[in-house]
Amino acid sequence: MLYGTCVFLYTLHHRSKAHNYVGKSYIAVLVIISMIVTFTYLIVNDPVLHQVFFGILVLIVIYEATLALKQYPIIKHPITVTLTCYIIAFTLWNIDNLCCPYIRSTRNMLPTGVGAITQLHAWWHLLVGYGTYVHILFGAHVRALHFKRKCAMKHLFGFFPYHLEILDIPDTAPHNNKNTDE
């Protein structure tokens, strides 16, 4: 979760750079911060530290995504889906962490099928998983737009992004310059 969000930050930061841009110093900063948080968490073992740092990273992702949205307004839908999934998941995760004993006792009183939907940690994983997938599509879409590529996002039920189609794929096959009309 922590490292994946750092990858998102890198891709958003990388969105409008040259094709061969690497950004080694930006990568180094993200890796060092991640390592510091990881080692601190292993020593202190307090989940609040992890939650706070993840929340800060999500806020930075929102900021970077807002900059990308200003540059490419066409990406409004996938970014909205991604951020909505992340915000709801983060909220449910914190509710689950703060109120777990109460939720568990309530769940035990509910019928099995109904009790299953109160598994907020499971909802966290589902929403972050889908949000991550849409963010990957979003990142690819932004990068394609930066290189002036024609592309289209496909949606399930007209709402849920699930596929990015690049419409103008250049021919990268080696060309044989021999005359074929012989």
Side-chain angles (χ1 to χ4, degrees):
M1 175 170 68
L2 175 71
Y3 303 112
T5 305
C6 286
V7 170
F8 292 160
L9 281 174
Y10 178 76
T11 59
L12 282 170
H13 178 72
H14 191 259
R15 76 183 174 279
S16 60
K17 305 294 184 196
H19 191 340
N20 58 354
Y21 174 79
V22 177
K24 292 177 184 176
S25 60
Y26 195 76
I27 292 170
V29 167
L30 291 174
V31 168
I32 289 168
I33 289 171
S34 297
M35 289 173 50
I36 289 170
V37 171
T38 299
F39 291 128
T40 305
Y41 176 73
L42 290 172
I43 294 167
V44 176
N45 202 17
D46 184 4
V48 174
L49 172 73
H50 187 264
Q51 292 167 351
V52 167
F53 187 72
F54 179 70
I56 291 168
L57 284 178
V58 168
L59 290 175
I60 297 170
V61 167
I62 290 169
Y63 172 75
E64 287 280 349
T66 303
L67 294 178
L69 182 60
K70 287 179 182 177
Q71 191 174 3
Y72 304 108
I74 194 170
I75 61 170
K76 183 177 183 178
H77 183 73
I79 196 167
T80 302
V81 171
T82 297
L83 294 177
T84 301
C85 285
Y86 265 66
I87 290 167
I88 292 171
F90 187 69
T91 303
L92 292 177
W93 180 44
N94 281 293
I95 290 170
D96 190 53
N97 285 331
L98 296 171
C99 306
C100 188
Y102 307 110
I103 295 170
R104 186 175 292 144
S105 64
T106 303
R107 184 181 308 123
N108 292 336
M109 295 185 293
L110 296 172
T112 304
V114 177
I117 63 171
T118 65
Q119 296 280 350
L120 299 184
H121 193 84
W123 283 107
W124 150 260
H125 284 285
L126 291 171
L127 289 167
V128 166
Y130 181 66
T132 299
Y133 175 71
V134 174
H135 187 87
I136 291 166
L137 292 176
F138 156 71
H141 196 178
V142 168
R143 194 75 172 141
L145 290 171
H146 173 69
F147 288 113
K148 311 279 191 257
R149 305 297 301 277
K150 293 180 184 173
C151 50
M153 186 77 69
K154 292 188 178 185
H155 298 82
L156 183 64
F157 305 120
F159 181 77
F160 299 103
Y162 73 93
H163 178 70
L164 179 67
E165 184 175 5
I166 306 295
L167 303 172
D168 63 342
I169 298 175
D171 182 14
T172 58
H175 295 290
N176 188 348
N177 291 334
K178 292 182 181 179
N179 188 348
T180 57
D181 294 335
E182 299 175 346

